[in-house]
Amino acid sequence: MRVAVFGDVHGNRFALEAVARDIETHRPDAWVNLGDGLFGGADPAGAWALQRSLREEFGVLEVRGNTDERLGEPLTDTTEKRGMLAWLHEQLPAGAGAEVAALPTSVTLAGGEILAAHGTPNSAWTYLLRDGGAWAGDDLVQERLGNVGNARVVIVGHSHLEHVRQIGPVTVVNAGAVSRQKDGSPLARWVLLEGGDGIWNVTFRRVPYNIEAAARWAEAHAYHGVKEAAQLRTGRG
């Protein structure tokens, strides 16, 4: 079985288009979206439309990220990141924020052998594999995981950093982000899982895309567009 996993699109239609094309060449049996699909400034409406199209065509399984939860919150004078959220609501179709905020925190597939979440199985906000500015120890990761049943692969996003680790019988994977990289390379990322019957291989994929077009869109249209464009170009921040 082949499973394509992507996440942290962060409103970047340009990066998602390239990732989707690359995924299709591998002809996966299932697709999973790890959330945080809209909170960003490189055509979030286009990113939303593409994610809906992929769900309809390929039956993409989806979980909610922490910024998806933000999009479901009512806007008040004290709402954190209110300016960005207000701009996003203007860009997106009515109800988009409520829809992503209502997604589950985790999904399973392959008979329960794969468990996918944004942060941890129970929280879109908690990092599974990060502890401050470093990678978390195995004991802390196991505590955050809780009971994962017969899962042999747990894959999450949220940190925007690629990582794979074996903890007992479970392969724990931090997928790289489609957009808003943090490691200095702005390439878009996704993960291919291949296997079954308890044996799974993990391949990290890096995909070039038209970064300059995305950055120019951000500069022309996005909330804090200059800052967004700089992050897209450098893969930092």
Side-chain angles (χ1 to χ4, degrees):
M1 184 177 186
R2 291 183 175 184
V3 179
V5 185
F6 67 95
D8 291 292
V9 173
H10 282 287
N12 188 338
R13 169 182 60 83
F14 303 85
L16 181 58
E17 286 175 340
V19 164
R21 286 194 298 268
D22 195 52
I23 289 175
E24 286 190 68
T25 66
H26 289 80
R27 300 173 65 107
D29 302 291
W31 299 49
V32 180
N33 182 344
L34 297 176
D36 274 10
L38 304 176
F39 195 93
D43 191 6
W48 164 257
L50 180 52
Q51 286 171 88
R52 300 284 65 70
S53 175
L54 292 173
R55 183 173 68 181
E56 291 172 6
E57 184 173 359
F58 299 109
V60 180
L61 298 173
E62 298 174 316
V63 299
R64 73 175 182 266
N66 57 301
T67 64
D68 299 324
E69 292 190 3
R70 282 193 193 279
L71 279 163
E73 298 172 352
L75 292 180
T76 69
D77 289 342
T78 59
T79 299
E80 188 177 359
K81 300 185 184 295
R82 185 180 188 277
M84 178 65 167
L85 289 166
W87 177 80
L88 280 168
H89 284 299
E90 291 175 356
Q91 299 292 310
L92 297 167
E99 183 174 330
V100 295
L103 292 169
T105 56
S106 66
V107 296
T108 60
L109 62 159
E113 290 198 11
I114 298 174
L115 187 156
H118 181 73
T120 69
N122 298 312
S123 170
W125 293 86
T126 302
Y127 290 97
L128 178 61
L129 282 156
R130 298 292 287 175
D131 184 15
W135 294 108
D138 287 359
D139 289 345
L140 181 55
V141 173
Q142 287 181 309
E143 178 184 330
R144 290 171 174 172
L145 275 176
N147 183 2
V148 296
N150 68 330
R152 289 297 173 264
V153 178
V154 174
I155 186 163
V156 298
H158 196 26
S159 75
H160 297 211
L161 295 169
E162 297 151 308
H163 188 76
V164 62
R165 186 187 310 185
Q166 192 69 29
I167 303 179
V170 181
T171 303
V172 186
V173 183
N174 218 138
V178 172
S179 186
R180 289 191 170 184
Q181 313 304 341
K182 295 183 177 181
D183 58 10
S185 169
L187 296 174
R189 322 292 171 90
W190 67 279
V191 172
L192 178 65
L193 304 176
E194 297 176 281
D197 296 326
I199 301 172
W200 293 90
N201 294 299
V202 181
T203 303
F204 291 99
R205 297 283 302 172
R206 296 187 171 193
V207 184
Y209 74 98
N210 194 336
I211 295 164
E212 189 56 30
R216 288 198 301 269
W217 195 102
E219 286 172 332
H221 305 289
Y223 184 81
H224 288 330
V226 172
K227 180 180 179 181
E228 182 98 24
Q231 198 284 328
L232 292 170
R233 289 182 173 115
T234 64
R236 292 285 187 191

